[in-house]
Amino acid sequence: LKLALITILIHQQKPCILLLDDFMTDFDDQHLNLLLDTLRNQPVQLIFTAPSISSAIVTSLVDRGATIVEVTP
């Protein structure tokens, strides 16, 4: 559903920021990598949150050249 929304915004030439909050628990490694590869090819700003810097999503993002910002309380 979010990918469909991104496609609409891109076709309307509107800026798009996608925030996915702690979503990696919903995906196995194969689907997570498929999602990340799909999103990487979209002209959008991507923001992901994760409960831990050592989570699988962080490793996958770093492998794809992402910048990681750690926020602590």
Side-chain angles (χ1 to χ4, degrees), residues 6-41:
I6 288 171
T7 302
I8 291 169
L9 291 171
I10 290 168
H11 286 324
Q12 294 177 351
Q13 297 183 347
K14 295 188 177 182
C16 184
I17 299 172
L18 178 63
L19 169 64
L20 292 175
D21 183 31
D22 194 18
F23 73 99
M24 73 280 197
T25 57
D26 299 330
F27 295 93
D28 59 25
D29 287 345
Q30 179 183 359
H31 288 100
L32 175 63
N33 287 319
L34 178 62
L35 175 66
L36 293 177
D37 289 340
T38 302
L39 291 174
R40 183 178 184 188
N41 295 319

Side-chain angles (χ1 to χ4, degrees), residues 62-73:
V62 168
D63 290 346
R64 289 170 172 79
T67 300
I68 306 299
V69 177
E70 186 175 5
V71 180
T72 57

